Amino acid sequence: MTEASPPISARERHKEDVRTRILDSLIALLSEGIDINHDRVAERTGVARRTVYRYFPDHDALMQPLWDRVVSLAGGAAVRFPDSEAELTSSMLSIFQSFDRIAGLATIVRATPQGRAVRLAQKERRRAAYVSATADAVKELPPEDRLLATAMLQVLHTTPWLEMRDQWDMDGAQMATACRWAVETLLKDLRARGGKPLSDGPA
């Protein structure tokens, strides 16, 4: 028989409630295009500034849970950095369709200074994930070209969503088809070219 989990104390429920209110305030501020800092979060949440600092001690600590909340609203596990070359293409449909589900918020994250700050807070994690996922595909290129190829594969994986939505009225499924074709074409070229520099043109 599985033992029942111990009941949550009133104190723990209160702490979780405050944390949830802070996270909701972060989303509200982001949605309204308001710069995010501890003072604004405290004012919006209706808690003391020191309370916000107790839960989130610096600006980076605010950005990470905000990013996590955006990802959760988009679909949670469906929206993640790739952990392999295969996942570069296999994850596109679920990611683009997840962006469609939160189109307003996804647009804010990509098109406003506040949203870009949230994305930039993930820069090191994002770069590390794509470097790892593409390492085998780019390994024979000259070092500078490895960077260029990895960056282009990262851009094609999720970045076109806003442009293809705004300029071409596409939905996530259409975007995924186009971007998957582009990524597969580049990966095929990388496998064929060996160490031939990108400046020499297609393999």
Side-chain angles (χ1 to χ4, degrees):
M1 176 182 291
T2 303
E3 293 185 13
S5 300
I8 300 174
S9 68
R11 178 181 174 82
E12 289 302 317
R13 279 197 300 271
H14 174 71
K15 288 172 63 177
E16 188 58 34
D17 178 61
V18 171
R19 179 181 171 82
T20 299
R21 285 164 56 200
I22 292 172
L23 291 174
D24 288 344
S25 295
L26 287 167
I27 289 290
L29 291 168
L30 178 64
S31 298
E32 294 168 19
I34 298 173
D35 288 340
I36 293 168
N37 59 46
H38 288 74
D39 289 333
R40 290 195 174 96
V41 172
E43 181 180 355
R44 178 59 63 95
T45 309
V47 302
R49 182 172 179 267
R50 66 178 179 275
T51 300
V52 180
Y53 271 102
R54 186 162 65 246
Y55 284 82
F56 305 104
D58 55 36
H59 189 70
D60 287 344
L62 282 174
M63 292 295 101
Q64 184 61 51
L66 179 51
W67 172 263
D68 292 341
R69 177 58 67 93
V70 170
V71 168
S72 176
L73 291 170
V79 180
R80 62 185 184 276
F81 301 139
D83 61 12
S84 67
E85 183 180 318
E87 198 169 41
L88 278 172
T89 52
S90 66
S91 62
M92 282 184 181
L93 179 60
S94 61
I95 289 175
F96 284 126
Q97 289 182 329
S98 294
F99 290 169
D100 283 352
R101 282 195 292 274
I102 59 162
L105 187 56
T107 298
I108 287 167
V109 168
R110 294 184 175 277
T112 68
Q114 296 80 11
R116 288 179 59 79
V118 175
R119 290 193 78 239
L120 284 171
Q122 301 300 312
K123 180 177 178 178
E124 294 307 315
R125 287 183 59 219
R126 181 179 292 105
R127 288 184 63 152
Y130 284 94
V131 166
S132 177
T134 63
D136 188 64
V138 305
K139 65 184 179 183
E140 294 185 35
L141 291 175
E144 175 63 19
D145 284 357
R146 287 180 215 150
L147 175 66
L148 300 179
T150 300
M152 181 52 65
L153 290 167
Q154 180 263 312
V155 166
L156 288 170
H157 186 236
T158 59
T159 306
W161 176 84
L162 183 57
E163 188 72 5
M164 296 175 88
R165 178 184 175 86
D166 284 354
Q167 303 301 325
W168 297 97
D169 303 316
M170 291 186 185
D171 62 23
Q174 293 171 303
M175 298 173 201
T177 297
C179 291
R180 184 171 57 244
W181 161 74
V183 168
E184 287 174 346
T185 299
L186 290 183
L187 290 171
K188 181 179 179 180
D189 177 87
L190 287 168
R191 282 190 287 270
R193 75 171 42 250
K196 180 182 175 183
L198 298 182
S199 58
D200 288 355

